[in-house]
Amino acid sequence: MKRIFFLILFLASILCLITCKEKKPIPELEGFVVKSVIHPSNNPFNQEKVELGKTLYFDSRLSFNQDVSCASCHNASSPSEGFPRTKIHNPAPSLTNVALYKDVFKDPEAKELEDLVKEKVHSKLMFQNETKLVQRISSIQGYKELFEKAYGDPEISGERIVLALSTFQRTIVSKNSNFDKFVMGEENALTPAQIRGWNVFQNKAKCIQCHQGPNFSDSKLHTTGLAGIKDKVRTPTLRDVTKKKTFMHNGIFGSIEDTVNHFAEGGHSKAVHDPMLKPAELSDQDKKDLIEFLKALEGEPIQWEIPSIPKA
């Protein structure tokens, strides 16, 4: 009986050593992991400001005709997917990890997320006249209470609206993906196909030239090899990319497979080419493995509860 007891104890000890093995991050890859979002000193984080920003984000009264909210274009049900384009709005760019872009706006003078949010709030689609927007929001008692919780007093201003929206958008973060877990020491977080795909991503396909860092984006502008399009677009994040329904800035591709083929071929033969966009000799297996790796960049689901919008 004692022999059986000690045998069980020995096996349990071995199992503990295996399962309790210390996780050791991979130092050279830690720069790819989303760890935290920095909130600027001129717009410090507090949860009440997040809630205010989220409420404003879903409120169509921020638009001139009171029929379009931020969430109308940046799909509220899936933060990584914009609504289909319309005559006045191209496919809305993903707001996932928007705070991690080095430069969130094409204008070199606009370096902070707040600058981009202010630009969008004052666009033709939204509310160009700040004074009238503030008057409209100030007439709603529920907002006075929300502003007081967020800022310590009920004053409503255009600047505070922008600060709250920016604070909320900084919470739209895709993180703790299987790739992140792998980098932080979970050796089995990636499948063999995904590990092969990571190798393709870095070497054969050279995706890493533009898709780098925690956001898998160099935040720079590039042409993308699309026929008839000369404009440069900012390198998009690849986090949650396999959750999207359309691909490229104009939604021209309907599958990740078509997108991978486009870049593997070096773009369209008659397109304006970026110097870094060159054909890659990828086998069908390479492409499958690459797509499997991209799936490993899917973060934990971003849970959103639609807020209660204050009544006028």
Side-chain angles (χ1 to χ4, degrees):
M1 191 70 178
K2 283 185 178 180
R3 196 174 288 177
I4 294 174
F5 172 77
F6 283 114
L7 178 61
I8 293 173
L9 186 62
F10 173 75
L11 291 174
S13 300
I14 295 296
L15 181 61
C16 182
L17 286 173
I18 295 172
T19 57
C20 299
K21 182 180 177 181
E22 183 182 358
K23 297 177 183 178
K24 294 184 178 180
I26 304 174
E28 61 271 26
L29 296 183
E30 280 195 81
F32 283 90
V33 175
V34 176
K35 294 182 178 178
S36 61
V37 171
I38 298 174
H39 292 260
S41 58
N42 63 345
N43 190 14
F45 172 89
N46 69 58
Q47 190 58 42
E48 291 75 16
K49 199 189 297 179
V50 172
E51 293 304 314
L52 169 61
K54 181 165 65 172
T55 304
L56 291 165
Y57 185 88
F58 282 90
D59 195 336
S60 60
R61 287 172 294 191
L62 261 66
S63 65
F64 183 77
N65 292 323
Q66 305 189 57
D67 57 354
V68 176
S69 68
C70 302
S72 297
C73 296
H74 301 281
N75 195 338
S77 62
S78 175
S80 64
E81 185 63 51
F83 278 5
R85 65 179 180 274
T86 66
K87 292 181 180 179
I88 57 173
H89 205 290
N90 286 328
S94 169
L95 291 184
T96 300
N97 292 349
V98 67
L100 297 182
Y101 285 110
K102 295 175 185 175
D103 182 353
V104 297
F105 195 43
K106 291 181 181 180
D107 183 351
E109 297 298 320
K111 297 295 184 183
E112 299 294 339
L113 178 58
E114 285 77 5
D115 296 309
L116 176 59
V117 172
K118 184 175 182 178
E119 172 73 18
K120 295 304 179 184
V121 169
H122 291 169
S123 69
K124 292 181 180 179
L125 183 63
M126 298 304 285
F127 216 120
Q128 297 180 68
N129 190 314
E130 181 177 316
T131 301
K132 290 185 178 180
L133 171 61
V134 171
Q135 288 176 346
R136 178 183 290 177
I137 299 301
S138 298
S139 68
I140 304 168
Q141 180 59 37
Y143 268 121
K144 292 179 181 178
E145 297 170 3
L146 289 174
F147 273 80
E148 183 160 19
K149 289 179 181 178
Y151 295 104
D153 64 70
E155 179 190 351
I156 297 175
S157 68
E159 180 184 8
R160 284 185 167 186
I161 289 172
V162 167
L163 293 176
L165 285 168
S166 302
T167 301
F168 165 64
Q169 290 182 24
R170 285 193 174 93
T171 67
I172 307 173
V173 179
S174 174
K175 59 183 179 179
N176 204 28
S177 68
N178 284 340
F179 177 76
D180 296 324
K181 294 174 184 176
F182 174 78
V183 172
M184 297 310 292
E186 291 189 28
E187 296 178 358
N188 297 322
L190 295 186
T191 66
Q194 289 171 334
I195 292 174
R196 293 195 304 269
W198 170 231
N199 185 51
V200 172
F201 184 91
Q202 298 176 87
N203 300 301
K204 278 189 176 182
K206 293 183 171 57
C207 308
I208 203 167
Q209 291 182 115
C210 299
H211 296 282
Q212 54 191 249
N215 208 22
F216 281 82
S217 167
D218 61 4
S219 295
K220 296 180 180 178
L221 302 177
H222 299 277
T223 52
T224 54
L226 293 174
I229 296 179
K230 298 180 181 179
D231 293 340
K232 293 183 177 183
V233 295
R234 183 186 58 192
T235 304
T237 179
L238 291 182
R239 288 187 176 274
D240 288 348
V241 67
T242 46
K243 294 180 180 180
K244 292 173 68 67
K245 296 177 182 178
T246 61
F247 301 82
M248 308 301 283
H249 72 284
N250 59 353
I252 192 171
F253 297 131
S255 72
I256 190 69
E257 289 79 10
D258 288 343
T259 310
V260 167
N261 285 332
H262 169 76
F263 284 104
E265 293 166 2
H268 195 281
S269 59
K270 296 182 180 180
V272 176
H273 285 272
D274 188 280
M276 289 190 286
L277 183 57
K278 299 177 181 179
E281 295 182 4
L282 302 185
S283 67
D284 289 343
Q285 187 61 54
D286 288 334
K287 293 175 184 178
K288 290 179 181 178
D289 291 341
L290 179 57
I291 291 170
E292 286 303 310
F293 168 69
L294 294 176
K295 291 178 182 178
L297 299 181
E298 293 183 7
E300 294 177 338
I302 301 174
Q303 301 295 334
W304 276 1
E305 290 185 10
I306 307 299
S308 176
I309 307 298
K311 295 181 180 180

